[in-house]
Amino acid sequence: MLTAPRINGRFTQLLLLAAVLLILSILFYANADAIHIPESVSLKAPVKSRPHHPIDDLIEEADRQQEDLLQKESHTLADAVRAYEDRRGRRPPPGFDVWYHFAQDNNALVIEDFFDRVYHDLNPFWAIPAHTIRQQAGDIFHRISVRNGNTSQLSDQQRPWLDLWENMIGSISQHLPDLDMPINVMDESRVVVPWETIDEYMTAEEKTRHIVPASEVVRKFGKTSVSKDEKVPAFDPQWEGGPYWDRAVIGCHPNSPARSYKAEVDYSVFPPLNNSYPEKSHEGYVANWTYVKQPCEHPQLQGLHGTFVEPISISNSKKLMPLFGGSKLPMNNEILLPPAMYWTTDPFYSGGDDHGHEWHKKTNKIIWRGAASGGRNKDTTWARFQRHRFVSMMNSTSIARAEENGKQPNFELPEPGQYDLPSGSLAKWVGESADAAFVHLLCFPDTRPPFCDYDDAFYEVKPSMPMGEQYNYKYLPDIDGNSFSGRYRGFLGSTSLPIKATIYDEWHDSRMMPWKHFVPMDNTFVDIYGIMHYFFNGRDAAAKRIALEGKKWTETVLRREDMQVYVFRLLLEYARVCDDEREKLGWVSEMEGILLADSHG
Ligand SMILES: *[C@@H]1O[C@H](CO)[C@@H](O)[C@H](O)[C@H]1NC(C)=O
Ligand SMILES: *[C@@H]1O[C@H](CO)[C@@H](O)[C@H](O)[C@H]1NC(C)=O
Ligand SMILES: *[C@@H]1O[C@H](CO)[C@@H](O)[C@H](O)[C@H]1NC(C)=O
Ligand SMILES: *[C@@H]1O[C@H](CO)[C@@H](O)[C@H](O)[C@H]1NC(C)=O
């Protein structure tokens, strides 16, 4: 389970307290002759300079959770082994000591929770025979291989992402056994195994979990990849196309809302949006980031996200196979690597080394520039795409029209009074506070690029703006494109404040804390005006603090070295599930080894 804010307990307490106060006050009024505000209640409360805001609670809770997390740091190899065994229920894999020293030499913060994603992704493979995994891995096209500590790739053409990943793996391959790693070269994620099957696999994995007695441990990797002369039986993943939603929801829990949701087919009607506060939110704001990102829990995303409306390409398998990629939906079964875009030094994705002006010199606005991607948008469907929705919601003309005559084609405004928004015109202050525009409308068919017959009336095409220049603005919203947004790591390290909405999982999810290192946003964006109003009205210091703490944390746990440490750990574990002796393979400390040698005389 990935980390998510645990605030329900506290809320329950607050709710109880509120209920008790309510009952007491009802009793009080019932006994009073006349209804008046009793002085003892109304006047003694300390007068705060600023009313309490729900986002204050969320920030406080995130601070607390971050402190708890930091307490878990391992400072020695023995600490790391203990943390590993407690959390994973096995011995660490062979090479764990080399891994730990690599992390130490690279000043990496070692907290076992940071690697939860590795186990989430790999555990189901314990239910598949090791030789089957090796054979699949040696048979799927597009792959990176490690042999004798060197890497190589198999591809049909020059592919920049593949080159970057090979470079990433090459930087640690001297420490790895032989491996084959099939790589997803598409933008979209591609494996969804039925939830029931994965559940069975996870149960099977749990049964293999135990601490093998030192005397029985196999300490060296054996066969972890197919040999050249070995005949690989052709593995057929049975890639299938077709609408993605139906393929994706088989990965959801049988009782989840998505499993029984009837997919929309007519996207020309108004999208499934309303202005009630999102479920399980804290007065409208994101309280559980894992929940917010989960389409299984939010079936209306079927009609609100390009991934489900119409992705550019669909080629999906229901079979569990080792396929590595940079991002995936929560219901996908790929094995996550840090995205190649995060490994590149190309300023187009990384934003370069320039972090923009100092906070107080940055323009006090939201800036967003990007293409109208997210999938293949058409005249009957564009109003369902996330980037279109966001750009419209930042457009003062569109907001003014919505304020005058109700609905716009692709968004709905909060009611006055919701989100503590000021009464009067949203259009005016959002217009003054936001600058969001497309650089290319990417319509289909794309006859007049970058313009678009059906969207020209709604969107102005503006020149693109390098990321380094965007960093001269305080607020950086980040919205999914065809899959995850490759700018995110750059944004996190920029000194400006990222405001993030996504349905995609990434390698770093268990190390980035919402409201501590970035501002989380609902995928409907219904909370964006509240978020803006909070930070633009007297909470500039809070925005600056999250921006700078996010940057500092990014420079602590999202460095290239941290990606190496992650991939090193991931591939030791991957090698173990590929090895026939996997149930006995493990690392034994020198001390245990000596004791063992002694006991054998
Ligand atoms: C690894 O590659 C290097 C350079 O390509 C080569 O010199 C070396 O012999 C290779 N090592 C092995 C063990 O194949
Ligand atoms: C508003 O939409 C949410 C999903 O986003 C849904 O759960 C809720 O029932 C809707 N509320 C109303 C009043 O339609
Ligand atoms: C957060 O949401 C996830 C996914 O729905 C759920 O498993 C988890 O229990 C939730 N956490 C809390 C504290 O409610
Ligand atoms: C804002 O909306 C208006 C009307 O829909 C449109 O004409 C204008 O081009 C939009 N501006 C941007 C930056 O997209």
Side-chain angles (χ1 to χ4, degrees), residues 258-560:
R259 263 310 251 282
S260 52
Y261 186 79
K262 202 163 170 333
E264 282 186 89
V265 283
D266 179 6
Y267 295 111
S268 62
V269 299
F270 186 74
L273 289 167
N274 64 51
N275 51 23
S276 33
Y277 286 163
E279 270 177 58
K280 301 194 190 180
S281 64
H282 180 42
E283 295 175 44
Y285 299 100
V286 174
N288 181 342
W289 182 228
T290 314
Y291 171 76
V292 164
K293 289 171 60 187
Q294 175 56 277
C296 295
E297 301 282 358
H298 300 93
Q300 64 284 2
L301 288 174
Q302 185 259 335
L304 293 172
H305 200 289
T307 290
F308 301 121
V309 175
E310 189 174 350
I312 301 286
S313 39
I314 301 165
S315 170
N316 191 70
S317 174
K318 288 202 246 313
K319 295 187 179 177
L320 187 64
M321 70 187 98
L323 188 66
F324 291 78
S327 75
K328 64 174 177 177
L329 298 168
M331 58 272 252
N332 280 124
N333 299 102
E334 273 94 338
I335 304 167
L336 289 183
L337 289 169
M341 283 175 234
Y342 292 171
W343 187 254
T344 181
T345 48
D346 180 349
F348 184 78
Y349 292 102
S350 68
D353 295 330
D354 188 0
H355 297 132
H357 300 319
E358 277 178 70
W359 183 263
H360 70 277
K361 288 189 192 148
K362 289 181 198 280
T363 305
N364 192 23
K365 272 190 179 183
I366 279 196
I367 185 81
W368 191 88
R369 287 289 180 279
S373 63
R376 186 177 290 114
N377 79 77
K378 297 179 176 160
D379 58 352
T380 50
T381 61
W382 66 268
R384 302 309 194 90
F385 281 69
Q386 65 274 12
R387 289 186 164 187
H388 293 74
R389 178 164 64 254
F390 187 78
V391 173
S392 293
M393 288 175 77
M394 293 292 101
N395 179 324
S396 57
T397 314
S398 311
I399 298 170
R401 284 187 192 163
E403 284 177 328
E404 278 156 31
N405 54 23
K407 282 183 177 127
Q408 277 290 294
N410 62 345
F411 68 94
E412 187 155 357
L413 294 176
E415 300 282 346
Q418 279 186 308
Y419 288 102
D420 289 329
L421 290 172
S423 49
S425 169
L426 267 185
K428 186 163 178 297
W429 74 262
V430 173
E432 288 161 1
S433 314
D435 176 359
F438 284 125
V439 301
H440 196 307
L441 290 173
L442 285 180
C443 67
F444 185 85
D446 203 1
T447 48
R448 289 190 305 113
F451 304 104
C452 177
D453 290 342
Y454 57 80
D455 265 351
D456 283 342
F458 297 95
Y459 302 105
E460 181 187 346
V461 174
K462 288 195 184 176
S464 63
M465 185 187 286
M467 273 167 69
E469 215 170 295
Q470 297 181 28
Y471 297 166
N472 291 332
Y473 293 75
K474 286 186 179 173
Y475 300 93
L476 304 173
D478 195 37
I479 316 289
D480 291 340
N482 291 341
S483 63
F484 81 112
S485 157
R487 316 165 193 185
Y488 189 38
R489 178 170 173 266
F491 280 10
L492 285 165
S494 72
T495 73
S496 295
L497 182 62
I499 302 174
K500 177 78 172 172
T502 185
I503 56 172
Y504 282 93
D505 284 346
E506 294 184 55
W507 76 285
H508 62 215
D509 291 337
S510 41
R511 38 186 91 190
M512 301 313 292
M513 188 84 72
W515 298 111
K516 178 73 183 170
H517 306 125
F518 67 96
V519 169
M521 173 167 61
D522 192 75
N523 281 301
T524 60
F525 317 134
V526 62
D527 46 350
I528 184 62
Y529 303 115
I531 289 170
M532 287 170 72
H533 190 251
Y534 175 81
F535 287 115
F536 282 90
N537 284 278
R539 270 66 159 234
D540 187 69
K544 177 180 174 183
R545 191 180 138 216
I546 301 175
L548 296 187
E549 288 195 9
K551 175 193 162 55
K552 202 167 129 218
W553 188 242
T554 297
E555 287 168 355
T556 308
V557 304
L558 296 191
R559 303 165 307 153
R560 285 164 75 87

Side-chain angles (χ1 to χ4, degrees), residues 207-228:
K207 288 199 181 124
T208 69
R209 258 188 237 172
H210 65 292
I211 307 288
V212 179
S215 61
E216 289 169 30
V217 171
V218 176
R219 301 192 207 180
K220 282 212 167 73
F221 285 114
K223 193 167 166 42
T224 47
S225 65
V226 285
S227 8
K228 246 192 213 139

Side-chain angles (χ1 to χ4, degrees), residues 81-100:
V81 171
R82 210 171 307 120
Y84 182 102
E85 293 185 353
D86 283 353
R87 206 162 173 91
R88 314 296 167 206
R90 304 177 185 279
R91 283 185 185 271
F96 190 76
D97 53 340
V98 183
W99 172 81
Y100 180 77

